[in-house]
Amino acid sequence: MFPSSVAPRPGRSLAVLALTLAAFFAASSAPTPLYRLYQQDWGFSSGMLTLVFAVYAFSLLLALLTMGALSDHLGRRPVLLGALVLEALSMAVFATAHDVQGLLWARVLQGVATGVAGAAVGAALLDVDRDRGALINTLAPMLGMAAGVLGANELVALLPDLGRTLVFWLLLVLFALAACAVLCMPESGQRRPGAWATLRPRVRLPQQVRAAFVRMAPMDMAVWALGGFYLSLAPTLLRVVTGSEMAAGLAVCINTVSAAVGIWCLRAWPARGLLRLGGVALLAGVALLLAGVHQHSLVWMLSASVVAGVGFGVGFQGALRSVMPLAAGHERAGLLSAVYILSYLAFSLPAIAAGLMTQRIGLEATTYVYGGMLMALAALALLGTRQRAVAV
């Protein structure tokens, strides 16, 4: 508890939480433009690169399953501080890694830290302000991923020898500053008994949320499967199909910035409207992407990144806003963990399967299969919006 003389400042708390959430997602995407350099220097296979991608996602999922609801019992601040310490440690491991084993350990630590932090920060944002918190929960990850990719790309371009370690040292400093800011922030949650029981792996879905969760699931899966594609295959796809190194490096940034713009511009729309527009934009964006691959057109593929990015952003915003208002305060972290578990399963499993499929049938054929899956999920999500809406 804080002394009564210290008045909570919701605006300051929202800013600290928003920047912290964005920093975690920036760190998660920062290695993406560096993997090609790691492969060149250390000589590991594409299969090993897929493993590096997978261990992050699976360690994050394990953290969500076991510690996702911890902040509902211990409070938001102590859980978030622990996650920040672990994330800073992962940045140090990244910066000092000399082989692929170092990358694997860094991604494991990062996955656990991001899983714990995502649930705690997301719940704290909703504690402070339900409406603005829901907006930040969808906007900050998109901006963070764009900043991570763009920042790492530019540092490596400007400082070829130092850039790929400097980016992680700078992120470590950022997480240290975030920890100091969180220490000065009022606690928004309440301590409740039962913390040890929450460590038993399980998905926590309150009864009153389950029907809405099932309806929004196809959209959540579609948008995060799209995100997995852009963080794994899309840069290589643009490089191979169009021959543009610059476009390949900016593919993720274009997609996530478009998502953020869509979220901001349509923030006043009801959840059902966001889900519908997200489904339509995903269908159009993926169709444009496949046409661009077929025509080997850089313009079409970049346009597809913009349109599909809007679908990513507004679709995820609609998915969150259709379920989160239905949870009580002490259920928020657990429910957000369930959302992120679904999201990261969709983010990781299709991308890992696509990486393996690429070795058998080639990159372009794999893209057609992946795109067909995304369009099927988007169509299913659109069908779900025809049912009764449960939240706004």
Side-chain angles (χ1 to χ4, degrees), residues 111-136:
V112 174
T114 305
V116 174
V121 175
L125 283 165
L126 294 171
D127 293 340
V128 176
D129 188 307
R130 196 185 82 168
D131 294 330
R132 287 188 291 174
L135 176 64
I136 293 169

PDB file of all heavy atoms in Angstrom, residues 111-136:
ATOM      1  N   GLY A 111      11.103 -15.819 -23.518  1.00  0.00           N
ATOM      2  CA  GLY A 111       9.746 -16.339 -23.613  1.00  0.00           C
ATOM      3  C   GLY A 111       9.048 -16.371 -22.262  1.00  0.00           C
ATOM      4  O   GLY A 111       7.887 -15.961 -22.137  1.00  0.00           O
ATOM      5  N   VAL A 112       9.750 -16.855 -21.237  1.00  0.00           N
ATOM      6  CA  VAL A 112       9.165 -16.904 -19.893  1.00  0.00           C
ATOM      7  C   VAL A 112       8.852 -15.491 -19.403  1.00  0.00           C
ATOM      8  O   VAL A 112       7.754 -15.214 -18.893  1.00  0.00           O
ATOM      9  CB  VAL A 112      10.116 -17.618 -18.912  1.00  0.00           C
ATOM     10  CG1 VAL A 112       9.580 -17.534 -17.484  1.00  0.00           C
ATOM     11  CG2 VAL A 112      10.290 -19.081 -19.313  1.00  0.00           C
ATOM     12  N   ALA A 113       9.803 -14.580 -19.562  1.00  0.00           N
ATOM     13  CA  ALA A 113       9.605 -13.208 -19.096  1.00  0.00           C
ATOM     14  C   ALA A 113       8.436 -12.535 -19.804  1.00  0.00           C
ATOM     15  O   ALA A 113       7.602 -11.866 -19.174  1.00  0.00           O
ATOM     16  CB  ALA A 113      10.884 -12.396 -19.312  1.00  0.00           C
ATOM     17  N   THR A 114       8.342 -12.719 -21.115  1.00  0.00           N
ATOM     18  CA  THR A 114       7.272 -12.073 -21.880  1.00  0.00           C
ATOM     19  C   THR A 114       5.912 -12.656 -21.524  1.00  0.00           C
ATOM     20  O   THR A 114       4.914 -11.926 -21.448  1.00  0.00           O
ATOM     21  CB  THR A 114       7.539 -12.217 -23.392  1.00  0.00           C
ATOM     22  OG1 THR A 114       8.833 -11.698 -23.698  1.00  0.00           O
ATOM     23  CG2 THR A 114       6.500 -11.460 -24.200  1.00  0.00           C
ATOM     24  N   GLY A 115       5.846 -13.966 -21.303  1.00  0.00           N
ATOM     25  CA  GLY A 115       4.584 -14.580 -20.918  1.00  0.00           C
ATOM     26  C   GLY A 115       4.075 -14.058 -19.590  1.00  0.00           C
ATOM     27  O   GLY A 115       2.890 -13.716 -19.439  1.00  0.00           O
ATOM     28  N   VAL A 116       4.960 -13.978 -18.605  1.00  0.00           N
ATOM     29  CA  VAL A 116       4.566 -13.470 -17.285  1.00  0.00           C
ATOM     30  C   VAL A 116       4.185 -11.999 -17.371  1.00  0.00           C
ATOM     31  O   VAL A 116       3.160 -11.564 -16.821  1.00  0.00           O
ATOM     32  CB  VAL A 116       5.713 -13.674 -16.274  1.00  0.00           C
ATOM     33  CG1 VAL A 116       5.369 -13.021 -14.934  1.00  0.00           C
ATOM     34  CG2 VAL A 116       5.981 -15.162 -16.072  1.00  0.00           C
ATOM     35  N   ALA A 117       4.997 -11.218 -18.076  1.00  0.00           N
ATOM     36  CA  ALA A 117       4.746  -9.776 -18.163  1.00  0.00           C
ATOM     37  C   ALA A 117       3.490  -9.461 -18.954  1.00  0.00           C
ATOM     38  O   ALA A 117       2.742  -8.546 -18.590  1.00  0.00           O
ATOM     39  CB  ALA A 117       5.946  -9.075 -18.796  1.00  0.00           C
ATOM     40  N   GLY A 118       3.247 -10.193 -20.043  1.00  0.00           N
ATOM     41  CA  GLY A 118       2.089  -9.889 -20.878  1.00  0.00           C
ATOM     42  C   GLY A 118       0.789  -9.953 -20.103  1.00  0.00           C
ATOM     43  O   GLY A 118      -0.080  -9.070 -20.233  1.00  0.00           O
ATOM     44  N   ALA A 119       0.641 -10.995 -19.275  1.00  0.00           N
ATOM     45  CA  ALA A 119      -0.581 -11.125 -18.479  1.00  0.00           C
ATOM     46  C   ALA A 119      -0.662 -10.053 -17.397  1.00  0.00           C
ATOM     47  O   ALA A 119      -1.723  -9.452 -17.173  1.00  0.00           O
ATOM     48  CB  ALA A 119      -0.640 -12.515 -17.859  1.00  0.00           C
ATOM     49  N   ALA A 120       0.463  -9.797 -16.715  1.00  0.00           N
ATOM     50  CA  ALA A 120       0.452  -8.833 -15.613  1.00  0.00           C
ATOM     51  C   ALA A 120       0.231  -7.411 -16.118  1.00  0.00           C
ATOM     52  O   ALA A 120      -0.581  -6.657 -15.551  1.00  0.00           O
ATOM     53  CB  ALA A 120       1.768  -8.920 -14.837  1.00  0.00           C
ATOM     54  N   VAL A 121       0.941  -7.005 -17.176  1.00  0.00           N
ATOM     55  CA  VAL A 121       0.778  -5.651 -17.709  1.00  0.00           C
ATOM     56  C   VAL A 121      -0.619  -5.472 -18.287  1.00  0.00           C
ATOM     57  O   VAL A 121      -1.278  -4.448 -18.060  1.00  0.00           O
ATOM     58  CB  VAL A 121       1.835  -5.357 -18.798  1.00  0.00           C
ATOM     59  CG1 VAL A 121       1.574  -3.991 -19.432  1.00  0.00           C
ATOM     60  CG2 VAL A 121       3.223  -5.386 -18.211  1.00  0.00           C
ATOM     61  N   GLY A 122      -1.080  -6.468 -19.042  1.00  0.00           N
ATOM     62  CA  GLY A 122      -2.410  -6.359 -19.643  1.00  0.00           C
ATOM     63  C   GLY A 122      -3.507  -6.201 -18.607  1.00  0.00           C
ATOM     64  O   GLY A 122      -4.422  -5.379 -18.772  1.00  0.00           O
ATOM     65  N   ALA A 123      -3.413  -6.980 -17.527  1.00  0.00           N
ATOM     66  CA  ALA A 123      -4.408  -6.867 -16.466  1.00  0.00           C
ATOM     67  C   ALA A 123      -4.305  -5.526 -15.747  1.00  0.00           C
ATOM     68  O   ALA A 123      -5.318  -4.900 -15.406  1.00  0.00           O
ATOM     69  CB  ALA A 123      -4.238  -8.016 -15.472  1.00  0.00           C
ATOM     70  N   ALA A 124      -3.074  -5.054 -15.515  1.00  0.00           N
ATOM     71  CA  ALA A 124      -2.887  -3.770 -14.834  1.00  0.00           C
ATOM     72  C   ALA A 124      -3.466  -2.621 -15.667  1.00  0.00           C
ATOM     73  O   ALA A 124      -4.065  -1.685 -15.120  1.00  0.00           O
ATOM     74  CB  ALA A 124      -1.401  -3.536 -14.567  1.00  0.00           C
ATOM     75  N   LEU A 125      -3.295  -2.681 -16.975  1.00  0.00           N
ATOM     76  CA  LEU A 125      -3.869  -1.643 -17.842  1.00  0.00           C
ATOM     77  C   LEU A 125      -5.386  -1.588 -17.707  1.00  0.00           C
ATOM     78  O   LEU A 125      -5.983  -0.498 -17.655  1.00  0.00           O
ATOM     79  CB  LEU A 125      -3.491  -1.924 -19.298  1.00  0.00           C
ATOM     80  CG  LEU A 125      -2.060  -1.570 -19.704  1.00  0.00           C
ATOM     81  CD1 LEU A 125      -1.696  -2.230 -21.033  1.00  0.00           C
ATOM     82  CD2 LEU A 125      -1.879  -0.056 -19.801  1.00  0.00           C
ATOM     83  N   LEU A 126      -6.022  -2.736 -17.646  1.00  0.00           N
ATOM     84  CA  LEU A 126      -7.485  -2.776 -17.495  1.00  0.00           C
ATOM     85  C   LEU A 126      -7.911  -2.346 -16.096  1.00  0.00           C
ATOM     86  O   LEU A 126      -8.991  -1.785 -15.923  1.00  0.00           O
ATOM     87  CB  LEU A 126      -7.997  -4.186 -17.800  1.00  0.00           C
ATOM     88  CG  LEU A 126      -7.823  -4.630 -19.261  1.00  0.00           C
ATOM     89  CD1 LEU A 126      -8.155  -6.099 -19.410  1.00  0.00           C
ATOM     90  CD2 LEU A 126      -8.702  -3.801 -20.186  1.00  0.00           C
ATOM     91  N   ASP A 127      -7.060  -2.618 -15.091  1.00  0.00           N
ATOM     92  CA  ASP A 127      -7.354  -2.133 -13.738  1.00  0.00           C
ATOM     93  C   ASP A 127      -7.411  -0.615 -13.702  1.00  0.00           C
ATOM     94  O   ASP A 127      -8.282  -0.017 -13.068  1.00  0.00           O
ATOM     95  CB  ASP A 127      -6.261  -2.602 -12.754  1.00  0.00           C
ATOM     96  CG  ASP A 127      -6.234  -4.097 -12.539  1.00  0.00           C
ATOM     97  OD1 ASP A 127      -7.249  -4.764 -12.823  1.00  0.00           O
ATOM     98  OD2 ASP A 127      -5.191  -4.604 -12.087  1.00  0.00           O
ATOM     99  N   VAL A 128      -6.443   0.015 -14.363  1.00  0.00           N
ATOM    100  CA  VAL A 128      -6.311   1.471 -14.295  1.00  0.00           C
ATOM    101  C   VAL A 128      -7.406   2.164 -15.098  1.00  0.00           C
ATOM    102  O   VAL A 128      -8.003   3.146 -14.654  1.00  0.00           O
ATOM    103  CB  VAL A 128      -4.915   1.901 -14.800  1.00  0.00           C
ATOM    104  CG1 VAL A 128      -4.806   3.433 -14.832  1.00  0.00           C
ATOM    105  CG2 VAL A 128      -3.827   1.322 -13.905  1.00  0.00           C
ATOM    106  N   ASP A 129      -7.669   1.660 -16.315  1.00  0.00           N
ATOM    107  CA  ASP A 129      -8.684   2.286 -17.175  1.00  0.00           C
ATOM    108  C   ASP A 129      -9.143   1.232 -18.177  1.00  0.00           C
ATOM    109  O   ASP A 129      -8.369   0.840 -19.053  1.00  0.00           O
ATOM    110  CB  ASP A 129      -8.096   3.498 -17.899  1.00  0.00           C
ATOM    111  CG  ASP A 129      -9.143   4.301 -18.655  1.00  0.00           C
ATOM    112  OD1 ASP A 129      -9.892   3.704 -19.458  1.00  0.00           O
ATOM    113  OD2 ASP A 129      -9.208   5.530 -18.441  1.00  0.00           O
ATOM    114  N   ARG A 130     -10.386   0.794 -18.064  1.00  0.00           N
ATOM    115  CA  ARG A 130     -10.848  -0.323 -18.899  1.00  0.00           C
ATOM    116  C   ARG A 130     -10.818   0.018 -20.379  1.00  0.00           C
ATOM    117  O   ARG A 130     -10.356  -0.767 -21.205  1.00  0.00           O
ATOM    118  CB  ARG A 130     -12.279  -0.738 -18.510  1.00  0.00           C
ATOM    119  CG  ARG A 130     -12.658  -2.103 -19.045  1.00  0.00           C
ATOM    120  CD  ARG A 130     -14.095  -2.442 -18.769  1.00  0.00           C
ATOM    121  NE  ARG A 130     -14.998  -1.837 -19.745  1.00  0.00           N
ATOM    122  CZ  ARG A 130     -16.285  -2.147 -19.875  1.00  0.00           C
ATOM    123  NH1 ARG A 130     -16.835  -3.034 -19.059  1.00  0.00           N
ATOM    124  NH2 ARG A 130     -17.040  -1.559 -20.786  1.00  0.00           N
ATOM    125  N   ASP A 131     -11.278   1.220 -20.750  1.00  0.00           N
ATOM    126  CA  ASP A 131     -11.351   1.578 -22.163  1.00  0.00           C
ATOM    127  C   ASP A 131      -9.974   1.854 -22.758  1.00  0.00           C
ATOM    128  O   ASP A 131      -9.587   1.277 -23.778  1.00  0.00           O
ATOM    129  CB  ASP A 131     -12.269   2.793 -22.356  1.00  0.00           C
ATOM    130  CG  ASP A 131     -13.713   2.464 -22.013  1.00  0.00           C
ATOM    131  OD1 ASP A 131     -14.109   1.294 -22.181  1.00  0.00           O
ATOM    132  OD2 ASP A 131     -14.444   3.373 -21.600  1.00  0.00           O
ATOM    133  N   ARG A 132      -9.233   2.763 -22.112  1.00  0.00           N
ATOM    134  CA  ARG A 132      -7.899   3.070 -22.632  1.00  0.00           C
ATOM    135  C   ARG A 132      -6.951   1.882 -22.468  1.00  0.00           C
ATOM    136  O   ARG A 132      -6.067   1.653 -23.307  1.00  0.00           O
ATOM    137  CB  ARG A 132      -7.328   4.308 -21.938  1.00  0.00           C
ATOM    138  CG  ARG A 132      -7.996   5.608 -22.372  1.00  0.00           C
ATOM    139  CD  ARG A 132      -7.272   6.819 -21.816  1.00  0.00           C
ATOM    140  NE  ARG A 132      -7.428   6.931 -20.363  1.00  0.00           N
ATOM    141  CZ  ARG A 132      -6.801   7.830 -19.612  1.00  0.00           C
ATOM    142  NH1 ARG A 132      -5.965   8.686 -20.176  1.00  0.00           N
ATOM    143  NH2 ARG A 132      -7.000   7.871 -18.301  1.00  0.00           N
ATOM    144  N   GLY A 133      -7.144   1.113 -21.413  1.00  0.00           N
ATOM    145  CA  GLY A 133      -6.314  -0.066 -21.203  1.00  0.00           C
ATOM    146  C   GLY A 133      -6.495  -1.097 -22.297  1.00  0.00           C
ATOM    147  O   GLY A 133      -5.526  -1.706 -22.767  1.00  0.00           O
ATOM    148  N   ALA A 134      -7.740  -1.295 -22.730  1.00  0.00           N
ATOM    149  CA  ALA A 134      -8.000  -2.245 -23.816  1.00  0.00           C
ATOM    150  C   ALA A 134      -7.359  -1.762 -25.115  1.00  0.00           C
ATOM    151  O   ALA A 134      -6.820  -2.570 -25.892  1.00  0.00           O
ATOM    152  CB  ALA A 134      -9.508  -2.419 -24.007  1.00  0.00           C
ATOM    153  N   LEU A 135      -7.398  -0.455 -25.361  1.00  0.00           N
ATOM    154  CA  LEU A 135      -6.765   0.096 -26.564  1.00  0.00           C
ATOM    155  C   LEU A 135      -5.262  -0.108 -26.520  1.00  0.00           C
ATOM    156  O   LEU A 135      -4.647  -0.553 -27.497  1.00  0.00           O
ATOM    157  CB  LEU A 135      -7.098   1.588 -26.677  1.00  0.00           C
ATOM    158  CG  LEU A 135      -6.442   2.340 -27.839  1.00  0.00           C
ATOM    159  CD1 LEU A 135      -6.920   1.808 -29.175  1.00  0.00           C
ATOM    160  CD2 LEU A 135      -6.732   3.841 -27.711  1.00  0.00           C
ATOM    161  N   ILE A 136      -4.641   0.182 -25.380  1.00  0.00           N
ATOM    162  CA  ILE A 136      -3.192   0.037 -25.248  1.00  0.00           C
ATOM    163  C   ILE A 136      -2.775  -1.426 -25.368  1.00  0.00           C
ATOM    164  O   ILE A 136      -1.713  -1.735 -25.932  1.00  0.00           O
ATOM    165  CB  ILE A 136      -2.716   0.647 -23.915  1.00  0.00           C
ATOM    166  CG1 ILE A 136      -2.912   2.170 -23.936  1.00  0.00           C
ATOM    167  CG2 ILE A 136      -1.249   0.313 -23.650  1.00  0.00           C
ATOM    168  CD1 ILE A 136      -2.724   2.823 -22.585  1.00  0.00           C
TER     169      ILE A 136
END
